[in-house]
Amino acid sequence: MTTSLRLLLALLAGLVTGAALTAYASTSVAQTAALLLEPVGSLWLAGLQMSVIPLVIGLLFTGIADAAGTAGASRLGGRALLLFTMLLLATASFAVVFTPWLLGIWPPAAAEAAGLFLNADAAPAATALDAGAWLKSFVPTNPFAALASGNTLQIVVFTAAAALATTRLPEAPRKQLVGLFDALTRAMIVVVQFVFKLGPIGIFALASLVGLNAGLAAIGVLAHYVAVVSLVQIIVIIGVYALVAVSGAGLARFARGVLPAQVVAVSTQSSIASLPAMLEAATGPLGVSQSVARLVLPLAVSVFRITSPVANLAVACYVAHLSGITLTPQAMATGVAVAFAVSIATIGLPGQVSFIASVAPICIAMGIPIELLPLLIAVEMLPDIFRTLGNVTADVAVTSVLAAREPAAAASLDKP
């Protein structure tokens, strides 16, 4: 049984248990159960939280250092990274504006949504900043103070600056620094994976508390969440097809050529596992040269996940809506910046680890509580299908677009 399925079953079992206690047990029994379950769920959530900041630092440092090195390796590689950046920022901006609008016209049931929160004081109000103060808030005057206070945005900015500076160092100290942060990343992944081994226990406890508060009606809210996050990603996937159409790469040919890779993506839910199928689609029916495909596609799989900031921001906006938080323009812009950074950093992580490492920093930076994230992890296996489908579709699309728009660069790569 996969980890995702175990977490989903634990969620359903917890909701049913909590609802049954509310419906059939006495008030004293239900209260005693809540007192026993609350510390179990809280401890498991704290175990996840303690590794978020170190994991993001390690992933971001190594990811940016590798990407910066690739950008300088070739002209086409640099143009590919520029296109990746533009698409990630554009789709992230769309998600952070569209999702609140969608929730405004299609909200979850208010009473059931309120029952998801175990702590009524968990939803802080967004801090209003003027434009000048907001821009200054990006730069940490004291990186250690930013670490101590958990200021995610400043941590991301400092880590990115340090990673870029590392690329200018001689090879020996550069490798030492990258190796240090790579070791930190690996250690934190081990910690998170250990916490996830206890995931069914923690999620059962948290879900049982939700069942006590909201009953089985919470399942409807979770189904609504899955539908919203999936819909936002589907719209972005449609946008990828529109990009191919306007680029002159051939929409009908692209749709036919990418289909086998999409089938692999849906069946494996892994962009890395889909890479051979993507290479075959690009170099076969789409007519991309071997040299271009073998440069751009591995690079895309390594640093470009178009649905990552989209889905992660949709999750953050959904939790903000449930929390009664109205997102300010500054909070939205902060969310886009952090979502862009962590989308580069969390490539290749297991799904549950990636979810926490990606979404938690965004929520923290935007002033959104993260206590609901463990429950949402349990249903992530459903939106994750569209994450992989969108990523694979976009990877093949940008390869086709770059091959069509950069014939000179492609020809230079084909020369012996």
Side-chain angles (χ1 to χ4, degrees), residues 64 78 150 158 168 205 214 243 248 281 306 325 349 366 378 402:
I64 290 179
F158 177 78
R168 307 298 296 273
L243 172 66
I306 197 168
I325 296 174
L349 291 181
M366 296 176 73
L402 287 167

Short mmCIF file of all heavy atoms in Angstrom, two decimals, residues 64 78 150 158 168 205 214 243 248 281 306 325 349 366 378 402:
data_model
loop_
_atom_site.label_atom_id
_atom_site.label_comp_id
_atom_site.label_asym_id
_atom_site.label_seq_id
_atom_site.Cartn_x
_atom_site.Cartn_y
_atom_site.Cartn_z
N ILE A 64 19.33 26.60 -6.88
CA ILE A 64 19.73 27.82 -7.58
C ILE A 64 21.18 27.72 -8.05
O ILE A 64 21.51 28.15 -9.17
CB ILE A 64 19.53 29.05 -6.67
CG1 ILE A 64 18.04 29.31 -6.49
CG2 ILE A 64 20.22 30.27 -7.24
CD1 ILE A 64 17.72 30.47 -5.60
N GLY A 78 20.35 29.04 -21.40
CA GLY A 78 19.98 30.30 -20.77
C GLY A 78 18.61 30.78 -21.22
O GLY A 78 17.81 31.27 -20.41
N GLY A 150 11.41 32.96 11.77
CA GLY A 150 10.72 32.21 10.72
C GLY A 150 10.21 33.08 9.59
O GLY A 150 9.20 32.77 8.97
N PHE A 158 17.79 35.75 1.16
CA PHE A 158 19.18 35.59 1.59
C PHE A 158 19.80 34.32 1.01
O PHE A 158 20.93 34.32 0.52
CB PHE A 158 19.27 35.58 3.11
CG PHE A 158 20.66 35.34 3.63
CD1 PHE A 158 21.59 36.36 3.65
CD2 PHE A 158 21.04 34.09 4.09
CE1 PHE A 158 22.89 36.14 4.11
CE2 PHE A 158 22.33 33.85 4.56
CZ PHE A 158 23.25 34.89 4.57
N ARG A 168 30.24 32.19 -8.18
CA ARG A 168 31.41 33.00 -8.56
C ARG A 168 32.67 32.59 -7.80
O ARG A 168 33.74 33.18 -8.00
CB ARG A 168 31.12 34.49 -8.29
CG ARG A 168 29.85 35.02 -8.93
CD ARG A 168 29.89 34.91 -10.44
NE ARG A 168 30.93 35.75 -11.00
CZ ARG A 168 30.78 37.03 -11.32
NH1 ARG A 168 29.61 37.62 -11.14
NH2 ARG A 168 31.79 37.73 -11.83
N ALA A 205 -5.39 11.19 14.17
CA ALA A 205 -5.70 12.02 15.34
C ALA A 205 -6.29 13.36 14.93
O ALA A 205 -7.31 13.81 15.47
CB ALA A 205 -4.44 12.22 16.18
N ALA A 214 -16.80 18.84 12.96
CA ALA A 214 -17.61 19.06 11.76
C ALA A 214 -18.38 17.84 11.30
O ALA A 214 -19.24 17.96 10.43
CB ALA A 214 -16.68 19.53 10.62
N LEU A 243 -0.21 28.42 -25.66
CA LEU A 243 1.15 28.87 -25.92
C LEU A 243 1.72 28.19 -27.16
O LEU A 243 2.36 28.83 -28.00
CB LEU A 243 2.04 28.58 -24.70
CG LEU A 243 3.54 28.83 -24.88
CD1 LEU A 243 3.81 30.32 -25.08
CD2 LEU A 243 4.32 28.29 -23.68
N GLY A 248 3.57 28.95 -33.07
CA GLY A 248 3.83 28.40 -34.39
C GLY A 248 4.42 27.00 -34.37
O GLY A 248 4.89 26.51 -35.40
N ALA A 281 8.55 11.57 -27.59
CA ALA A 281 7.54 12.42 -28.21
C ALA A 281 8.17 13.62 -28.91
O ALA A 281 7.78 13.99 -30.03
CB ALA A 281 6.54 12.89 -27.15
N ILE A 306 5.59 23.68 -14.02
CA ILE A 306 4.67 24.79 -14.22
C ILE A 306 3.49 24.74 -13.26
O ILE A 306 2.93 25.78 -12.87
CB ILE A 306 4.18 24.83 -15.69
CG1 ILE A 306 3.56 26.19 -16.00
CG2 ILE A 306 3.20 23.69 -15.97
CD1 ILE A 306 3.31 26.43 -17.47
N ILE A 325 -9.20 35.02 5.89
CA ILE A 325 -8.15 35.99 5.63
C ILE A 325 -8.34 36.60 4.24
O ILE A 325 -8.43 35.87 3.25
CB ILE A 325 -6.75 35.36 5.73
CG1 ILE A 325 -6.48 34.87 7.14
CG2 ILE A 325 -5.66 36.32 5.27
CD1 ILE A 325 -5.19 34.10 7.30
N LEU A 349 11.48 15.69 -5.12
CA LEU A 349 11.14 15.18 -3.80
C LEU A 349 9.92 14.28 -3.87
O LEU A 349 9.08 14.43 -4.75
CB LEU A 349 10.84 16.34 -2.84
CG LEU A 349 12.00 17.24 -2.44
CD1 LEU A 349 11.49 18.31 -1.48
CD2 LEU A 349 13.12 16.46 -1.81
N MET A 366 2.80 34.37 3.68
CA MET A 366 1.58 35.14 3.42
C MET A 366 0.74 35.34 4.67
O MET A 366 -0.32 35.97 4.61
CB MET A 366 0.75 34.42 2.36
CG MET A 366 1.42 34.31 1.00
SD MET A 366 0.46 33.35 -0.21
CE MET A 366 -0.87 34.49 -0.58
N ALA A 378 -3.46 14.33 2.79
CA ALA A 378 -4.12 13.04 2.65
C ALA A 378 -4.95 12.93 1.37
O ALA A 378 -5.20 11.83 0.89
CB ALA A 378 -5.00 12.77 3.87
N LEU A 402 10.87 26.27 -28.04
CA LEU A 402 12.25 26.71 -28.18
C LEU A 402 12.87 26.19 -29.48
O LEU A 402 13.64 26.91 -30.13
CB LEU A 402 13.08 26.23 -26.98
CG LEU A 402 12.82 26.97 -25.67
CD1 LEU A 402 13.44 26.23 -24.50
CD2 LEU A 402 13.35 28.40 -25.74
#
